[in-house]
Coordinates of all heavy atoms in Angstrom, one line a residue:
V508 N -2.4 -4.4 8.4 CA -2.1 -3.4 7.4 C -1.2 -2.3 8.1 O -0.2 -1.8 7.5 CB -3.4 -2.8 6.8 CG1 -3.0 -1.6 5.9 CG2 -4.2 -3.8 6.1
V512 N 2.5 -1.4 6.7 CA 2.9 0.0 6.2 C 4.1 0.5 7.0 O 5.1 1.0 6.4 CB 1.7 1.0 6.4 CG1 2.2 2.4 6.3 CG2 0.6 0.7 5.4
S518 N 11.6 -0.5 5.2 CA 12.3 -1.2 4.1 C 12.7 -0.2 3.0 O 13.8 -0.2 2.4 CB 11.4 -2.2 3.4 OG 11.1 -3.3 4.3
V525 N 12.4 -0.3 -4.9 CA 12.6 0.6 -6.0 C 11.3 1.3 -6.2 O 10.2 0.7 -6.4 CB 13.0 -0.2 -7.3 CG1 13.2 0.7 -8.5 CG2 14.3 -1.0 -7.1
N570 N -22.1 13.3 -8.4 CA -23.1 12.3 -8.7 C -23.1 11.1 -7.6 O -23.7 10.1 -7.9 CB -22.8 11.7 -10.1 CG -22.9 12.7 -11.2 OD1 -23.9 13.5 -11.2 ND2 -22.0 12.7 -12.1
V572 N -20.6 9.4 -6.6 CA -19.6 8.3 -7.0 C -18.3 8.7 -6.4 O -17.9 9.8 -6.4 CB -19.5 8.2 -8.5 CG1 -18.5 7.2 -8.9 CG2 -20.9 7.9 -9.1
V578 N -6.7 0.0 -10.2 CA -6.3 -1.5 -10.2 C -4.9 -1.6 -9.9 O -4.1 -0.6 -10.0 CB -6.6 -2.1 -11.6 CG1 -8.1 -2.1 -12.0 CG2 -5.8 -1.3 -12.7
Y588 N 6.5 -12.2 -15.1 CA 5.1 -12.4 -15.5 C 4.1 -11.8 -14.5 O 4.3 -11.9 -13.3 CB 4.8 -13.9 -15.6 CG 5.1 -14.4 -17.0 CD1 6.4 -14.7 -17.4 CD2 4.1 -14.7 -17.9 CE1 6.7 -15.2 -18.7 CE2 4.4 -15.2 -19.2 CZ 5.7 -15.4 -19.6 OH 5.9 -15.9 -20.8
L593 N -5.7 -6.7 -8.9 CA -6.6 -6.5 -7.8 C -7.3 -5.2 -7.9 O -6.7 -4.2 -8.4 CB -5.8 -6.5 -6.5 CG -5.0 -7.7 -6.1 CD1 -3.6 -7.8 -6.7 CD2 -4.9 -7.8 -4.5
A595 N -8.1 -1.9 -6.6 CA -7.1 -1.2 -5.7 C -7.5 0.1 -5.1 O -6.7 0.7 -4.4 CB -5.8 -1.0 -6.5
A607 N -1.3 7.5 7.6 CA -1.7 8.6 8.5 C -1.7 8.2 9.9 O -1.2 8.9 10.8 CB -3.0 9.2 8.1
P616 N 3.5 10.6 20.7 CA 3.7 9.4 21.4 C 3.0 9.3 22.8 O 2.8 8.3 23.4 CB 5.2 9.3 21.6 CG 5.7 10.7 21.4 CD 4.7 11.3 20.4
G618 N 0.0 9.9 23.3 CA -1.4 9.5 23.1 C -2.4 10.7 22.9 O -1.9 11.9 22.8
V627 N -10.5 17.7 8.0 CA -10.9 18.7 7.0 C -11.0 17.9 5.7 O -10.0 17.4 5.1 CB -9.9 19.8 6.8 CG1 -10.3 20.8 5.7 CG2 -9.7 20.5 8.1
C645 N -5.5 5.5 18.5 CA -5.6 6.9 18.7 C -7.0 7.2 19.2 O -8.0 7.1 18.5 CB -5.3 7.7 17.4 SG -3.7 7.4 16.7
L651 N -13.8 16.6 15.3 CA -14.5 17.8 14.7 C -14.3 17.7 13.2 O -13.2 17.4 12.7 CB -13.8 19.1 15.2 CG -14.5 20.4 14.8 CD1 -15.9 20.5 15.4 CD2 -13.7 21.6 15.4
L663 N -19.6 11.8 7.7 CA -18.4 11.4 8.4 C -18.5 11.4 9.9 O -18.1 10.5 10.6 CB -17.2 12.2 7.9 CG -15.8 11.8 8.6 CD1 -15.5 10.4 8.3 CD2 -14.7 12.8 8.1
A664 N -19.1 12.5 10.4 CA -19.3 12.6 11.9 C -20.2 11.5 12.4 O -19.9 10.9 13.4 CB -19.9 14.0 12.2
T689 N -4.8 18.0 16.8 CA -4.4 17.3 15.6 C -5.4 17.6 14.5 O -6.6 17.6 14.6 CB -4.4 15.8 15.9 OG1 -3.6 15.5 17.0 CG2 -4.0 15.0 14.6
P699 N -3.3 26.0 -2.3 CA -3.4 26.3 -0.8 C -4.5 27.3 -0.5 O -4.7 28.2 -1.3 CB -2.0 26.9 -0.5 CG -1.1 26.4 -1.5 CD -1.9 26.3 -2.8
N713 N -0.9 16.1 6.7 CA -1.1 16.8 5.4 C -1.3 15.8 4.3 O -0.5 15.7 3.3 CB 0.1 17.7 5.2 CG 0.0 18.5 3.9 OD1 -1.1 18.9 3.5 ND2 1.1 18.8 3.3
A727 N 6.9 25.1 10.5 CA 6.8 23.9 11.2 C 8.0 22.9 11.0 O 8.8 23.2 10.2 CB 5.5 23.2 10.8
H745 N 6.6 21.4 -1.9 CA 7.3 21.8 -3.1 C 7.2 23.3 -3.3 O 8.2 24.0 -3.7 CB 6.7 21.1 -4.3 CG 7.4 21.3 -5.6 ND1 6.7 21.3 -6.8 CD2 8.7 21.6 -5.9 CE1 7.6 21.5 -7.8 NE2 8.8 21.7 -7.3
G752 N 14.2 28.2 -2.1 CA 15.3 27.7 -2.9 C 16.1 26.7 -2.1 O 17.3 26.4 -2.5
V769 N 15.2 10.6 14.0 CA 14.8 12.0 13.9 C 14.1 12.4 15.2 O 13.2 11.8 15.6 CB 13.8 12.1 12.7 CG1 13.2 13.5 12.6 CG2 14.4 11.7 11.4
L784 N 3.7 6.3 -1.6 CA 4.7 5.5 -2.3 C 4.0 4.2 -2.9 O 3.2 3.5 -2.2 CB 5.7 5.0 -1.3 CG 6.5 6.1 -0.6 CD1 7.5 5.4 0.5 CD2 7.3 6.9 -1.6
A790 N 3.0 -3.6 -1.1 CA 3.1 -4.4 0.1 C 1.7 -4.8 0.6 O 1.5 -6.0 0.9 CB 3.8 -3.7 1.1
S807 N -9.3 -17.4 -10.0 CA -8.3 -17.9 -11.0 C -8.8 -17.8 -12.4 O -9.9 -18.0 -12.7 CB -7.9 -19.3 -10.7 OG -7.0 -19.8 -11.6
E814 N 0.5 -17.9 -24.9 CA 1.6 -18.8 -25.2 C 2.5 -18.9 -23.9 O 2.8 -17.9 -23.3 CB 2.4 -18.2 -26.3 CG 1.8 -18.3 -27.7 CD 2.7 -17.9 -28.8 OE1 3.1 -16.8 -28.8 OE2 3.0 -18.8 -29.6

Side-chain angles (χ1 to χ4, degrees):
V508 175
V512 167
S518 296
V525 179
N570 298 314
V572 177
V578 294
Y588 271 78
L593 299 85
V627 181
C645 300
L651 189 61
L663 180 59
T689 302
N713 182 30
H745 187 208
V769 174
L784 300 176
S807 177
E814 290 187 293

